Amino acid sequence: MGRPGGWWRRKSTPAKIETYTRWSFHFFGLVEFSSVAVPFGSGLWSGLGLWLPVLVLGHSVLCAVTALRALDWTRGRRPQPVRLLWTLAAASAVVAVVALAVAEQASDGQEQVETAAGGAFGVTMVFAAGNSMLGVRGSRRMTGVVVAYAVGAGAVALPLGLPIEAVLVSAMAVLIGGAFIGSAAVFSAWLLNSVYQLDEARETRARLAVAEERLRFGRDLHDVMGRNLAVIALKSELAVQLARRGRPEAMEQMIEVQRIAQESQREVRDVVRGYREADLGVELAGAHGVLTAAGIACEVRGESDGLPADVQSALGWVVREATTNVLRHGDAGRCSVGLRMTEGHVVLTVENDGAQPSGDGGGSGLAGLRERLAQVDGTLEAGFAGEGVFRVVARVPVRETAAGRETGVVRETAAGRETGVVRGTAAGRETGVVPETVAGQETAAGPEAAGQETAAGQETAAGQETAMVREAAAGPEAAAVREGVG
């Protein structure tokens, strides 16, 4: 069983404002009925006075229905309730006539009935004018509606023999009261539309950000693959022509094509790796900017400097996913992001209010974060930390080497080249990422048996580099292609 008020917490901000607006119109109907029926005594509930509460009750229900249909029309969900507006005007005229007739026919001992009839006349005309303003557009038409109800009130009261002063007072009361009720209704509808437009603008901005990221990735991929594919096509065509002539240089051209294809594969992996890796400092700054732009008070504490690259990448993904959840789920007004070091661990905490229980046991995003953190021996805890407060805590150990330096930081080898994961060999030297194999794939890093790198493109013991593909003496055609590529 859900908690009391859970239906309200599950609503988005625009849906909450719409619910509040609709119940405000229901409250208007209750005010209309209670202002006539409740304050009067038992004399109202007998004889002619018995019709007054019945007529006002029906009129208040009709006013509420008209206001709700007009609100749906302003939201574009229904056509303009023209017939309902005319029906309300006719019903208001009937109630006004009956109320004045009851007041005229009341005897001297029925002052309460006479007072109730006069109140019913004024209240029904005021609420009818105000609710009808919501069903039209434009200031001129709204003003015309209120003026029409004020003139109608005077036109109904004058033939019944009321003094001219009383008629003018009734018309002015309807004009002022109807304008006030109508202005409140129109402003509520405008505010509701503005909230929906802001919510749609935020969703559009998020979609545009995703589309822009896709374009960026496509542009980077095109820049990497475009030139290499053109060279592969050219050299393949040259190899075909040489093969048809029986020239041995055709094999050399195909070897060159293979080398370029392997290089392209490596460059694509670099692009994808750079796309998938997340920088913690950039993600923290981005989260602060995005949440602030969405109207959420965001506080970021802690620095990411000095953390290993793999730890920063894993925690960066936690910040990115947590920020997305704050924006997409619930109605957060505050979010805090904290990064701190404690007992050999780096702890990232993301906490926000306005969270709503989803009931699905956690989405795939949190499961993916646990998998990423598991690669660096980290853990993830996510759940409610109070009424409407959701907290995500990521804890990752930070180990140090015997030399007192953190692992994962890129260091230089004795040859002056930068390596990836730092590990000590039996000779005390640090080796880097194992070079690519003939297939162009990276193998796992590890200590070498003789302290040397093994692969199709490894360095020789004399320190000279041997290429996976050597260029043989090529004919004039191949030389021309190589010059063109250079």
Side-chain angles (χ1 to χ4, degrees):
M1 179 180 295
R3 293 180 298 176
W7 65 275
W8 176 261
R9 285 188 291 268
R10 287 191 295 270
K11 288 180 176 291
S12 62
T13 299
K16 289 179 179 179
I17 295 180
E18 181 174 359
T19 302
Y20 169 78
T21 303
R22 291 182 176 276
W23 279 102
S24 298
F25 291 131
H26 294 161
F27 181 73
F28 282 173
L30 180 62
V31 170
E32 179 183 357
F33 175 72
S34 61
S35 62
V36 175
V38 174
F40 304 101
S42 59
L44 180 65
W45 302 97
S46 61
L48 295 175
L50 183 61
W51 288 97
L52 291 176
V54 177
L55 291 175
V56 174
L57 177 62
H59 187 270
S60 62
V61 173
L62 184 59
C63 281
V65 173
T66 303
L68 296 179
R69 294 293 179 87
L71 183 64
D72 290 336
W73 170 63
T74 60
R75 292 290 308 134
R77 300 169 183 169
R78 292 178 180 267
Q80 186 178 10
V82 179
R83 294 183 179 180
L84 199 57
L85 292 174
W86 283 110
T87 302
L88 178 60
S92 301
V94 171
V95 173
V97 171
V98 173
L100 292 178
V102 169
E104 287 295 325
Q105 296 179 7
S107 61
D108 295 339
Q110 292 180 325
E111 290 82 3
Q112 291 180 341
V113 175
E114 184 177 358
T115 304
F121 169 76
V123 169
T124 54
M125 297 298 288
V126 166
F127 277 93
N131 289 309
S132 297
M133 283 181 60
L134 191 60
V136 295
R137 286 189 179 138
S139 58
R140 292 185 178 180
R141 294 183 178 180
M142 294 179 183
T143 304
V145 168
V146 178
V147 172
Y149 270 95
V151 173
V156 170
L158 189 61
L160 295 178
L162 293 179
I164 188 64
E165 294 83 3
V167 172
L168 293 178
V169 170
S170 299
M172 289 300 299
V174 172
L175 180 65
I176 297 175
F180 177 78
I181 297 296
S183 299
V186 171
F187 177 77
S188 298
W190 173 83
L191 180 62
L192 178 62
N193 289 331
S194 299
V195 171
Y196 270 107
Q197 290 174 0
L198 290 175
D199 188 67
E200 292 172 359
R202 185 172 64 176
E203 293 180 357
T204 302
R205 182 175 58 185
R207 289 194 298 267
L208 290 177
V210 174
E212 183 178 357
E213 184 65 16
R214 290 175 178 172
L215 290 176
R216 185 198 68 80
F217 181 72
R219 182 175 61 251
D220 293 346
L221 194 61
H222 175 270
D223 294 342
V224 169
M225 295 297 298
R227 171 184 173 277
N228 290 347
L229 290 177
V231 174
I232 288 175
L234 182 61
K235 286 185 172 291
S236 299
E237 183 179 357
L238 178 60
V240 170
Q241 297 296 332
L242 293 175
R244 289 177 179 176
R245 300 177 186 177
R247 299 284 296 274
E249 291 87 348
M251 181 180 297
E252 299 174 1
Q253 292 300 319
M254 291 309 299
I255 293 176
E256 183 68 13
V257 168
Q258 183 184 22
R259 185 190 66 81
I260 297 175
Q262 293 172 351
E263 181 181 354
S264 301
Q265 185 181 14
R266 178 183 58 81
E267 292 178 351
V268 170
R269 284 199 304 271
D270 292 340
V271 171
V272 175
R273 184 181 298 109
Y275 178 75
R276 295 181 63 184
E277 290 180 354
D279 182 81
L280 182 55
V282 174
E283 294 299 332
L284 290 174
H288 182 272
V290 170
L291 294 177
T292 302
I296 300 174
C298 181
E299 180 185 5
V300 179
R301 302 183 302 272
E303 297 292 337
S304 60
D305 298 339
L307 294 177
D310 54 349
V311 174
Q312 288 204 34
S313 178
L315 295 180
W317 277 103
V318 175
V319 174
R320 182 180 300 182
E321 179 67 21
T323 303
T324 302
N325 291 337
V326 171
L327 293 174
R328 295 182 59 184
H329 306 293
D331 185 20
R334 176 191 60 83
C335 180
S336 62
V337 183
L339 186 67
R340 56 190 175 88
M341 294 289 298
T342 172
E343 298 179 357
H345 290 75
V346 56
V347 180
L348 174 68
T349 304
V350 182
E351 182 177 300
N352 66 278
D353 61 356
Q356 302 172 1
S358 59
D360 56 359
S364 60
L366 295 179
L369 291 181
R370 289 188 175 92
E371 294 176 358
R372 291 180 182 274
L373 291 172
Q375 297 177 359
V376 291
D377 298 331
T379 59
L380 180 71
E381 298 177 1
F384 284 90
E387 182 68 23
V389 178
F390 195 82
R391 181 183 299 164
V392 177
V393 179
R395 186 184 302 269
V396 179
V398 179
R399 301 183 179 89
E400 296 184 356
T401 61
R405 289 177 287 186
E406 295 179 350
T407 63
V409 181
V410 177
R411 299 192 179 101
E412 295 184 356
T413 62
R417 297 183 177 89
E418 292 184 351
T419 62
V421 180
V422 179
R423 296 185 181 177
T425 62
R429 299 177 181 176
E430 296 175 346
T431 61
V433 177
V434 176
E436 297 180 353
T437 62
V438 177
Q441 300 176 345
E442 296 178 358
T443 61
E448 309 296 340
Q452 298 175 346
E453 299 176 346
T454 62
Q458 64 183 6
E459 297 182 359
T460 63
Q464 298 176 347
E465 295 184 351
T466 60
M468 181 176 53
V469 180
R470 293 189 178 91
E471 295 187 359
E477 299 88 344
V481 172
R482 284 192 294 270
E483 293 176 359
V485 175

